[in-house]
Amino acid sequence: MAARIEHLVTSGQFSLDGGTWDVENNVWIVGDDHEAIVIDAAHDADAIAEALGDRRLTAIVCTHAHNDHIDAAPALAERTGAPVWLHHDDLPLWKQTHPDREPDAWLVDGRTIEAGGAALRVLHTPGHAPGAVCLYDPGLATVFTGDTLFQGGPGATGRSFSHFPTIIDSIRDRLLTLPPETKVLTGHGDATTIGAEAPQLEEWIARGH
């Protein structure tokens, strides 16, 4: 059976640099009727587990370690036995939320994580956070971008651990090279496509960021 993508929105808070904001996060479940991967276990482990049903969860993949994307990851891992995956460069951010529990495995650029017919290739896309990653499945013609790319432009870079020129370089080198019809499923808000975002992004790049 071919993989499918399911979407769950959870609500909670994002905290960094002394500020706290109410947020809604996209949680993505990718797989088939038997096994699945969760991308960004945000806020509500119970709601995610309910959406999974009796499927086997093979991996909890974190696009980056801001607290609103990882706060429910340990609880979901304990409940399901699935390992938590994170890029090592985001370990300092992870420890701000989970000081006593490290991730179970490290995401590495180019690695593919498979489950239920899905094959998610890790693209290291620093800028929003040092260890930010996107996950590209050519078979699904989809890239999961976390907070690296949204409908309307790049993710925020105004807080600690972030850098605007770096996120633009990541988008140029890792995302704009994907087919224009590739669907972009984000960490917050609505979906878009690479082709829809390319003109404005290319204009920024031409202006030297």
Side-chain angles (χ1 to χ4, degrees):
M1 183 176 294
R4 64 180 185 271
I5 300 167
E6 296 167 55
H7 179 212
L8 183 68
V9 177
T10 57
S11 301
Q13 293 187 321
F14 166 54
S15 299
L16 189 65
D17 298 338
T20 297
W21 301 266
D22 292 332
V23 289
E24 290 189 335
N25 286 62
N26 294 327
V27 179
W28 302 102
I29 301 172
V30 189
D32 61 14
D33 289 341
H34 306 291
E35 61 181 18
I37 297 166
V38 163
I39 301 170
D40 287 344
H43 308 308
D44 193 337
D46 290 341
I48 300 169
E50 183 177 346
L52 282 165
D54 60 2
R55 287 175 287 180
R56 182 170 71 94
L57 183 60
T58 64
I60 301 163
V61 181
C62 308
T63 61
H64 62 293
H66 285 151
N67 73 288
D68 57 318
H69 291 256
I70 63 167
D71 49 5
L76 186 63
E78 183 175 349
R79 185 166 178 159
T80 61
V84 177
W85 291 75
L86 179 74
H87 194 283
H88 193 274
D89 289 354
D90 259 18
L91 185 58
L93 273 169
W94 170 276
K95 287 184 173 179
Q96 290 185 9
T97 303
H98 303 301
D100 301 320
R101 202 265 195 216
E102 289 206 355
D104 302 299
W106 301 115
L107 297 169
V108 178
D109 186 71
R111 183 186 185 112
T112 298
I113 300 174
E114 299 183 14
L120 302 174
R121 189 168 83 234
V122 177
L123 308 176
H124 183 209
T125 52
H128 181 70
V133 302
C134 298
L135 302 158
Y136 175 52
D137 188 325
L140 293 170
T142 298
V143 62
F144 301 88
T145 56
D147 289 3
T148 294
L149 179 63
F150 293 112
Q151 184 185 75
T157 54
R159 303 187 180 99
S160 60
F161 297 95
S162 64
H163 189 242
F164 182 71
T166 300
I167 200 172
I168 294 298
D169 287 346
S170 292
I171 291 169
R172 178 194 66 204
D173 296 340
R174 311 311 306 276
L175 298 182
L176 291 186
T177 56
L178 300 177
E181 64 273 15
T182 303
K183 193 167 187 179
V184 175
L185 299 183
T186 61
H188 309 271
D190 294 333
T192 182
T193 65
I194 293 295
E197 301 307 316
Q200 181 179 349
L201 292 164
E202 288 167 350
E203 185 178 328
W204 284 341
I205 292 163
R207 293 202 309 258
H209 304 169

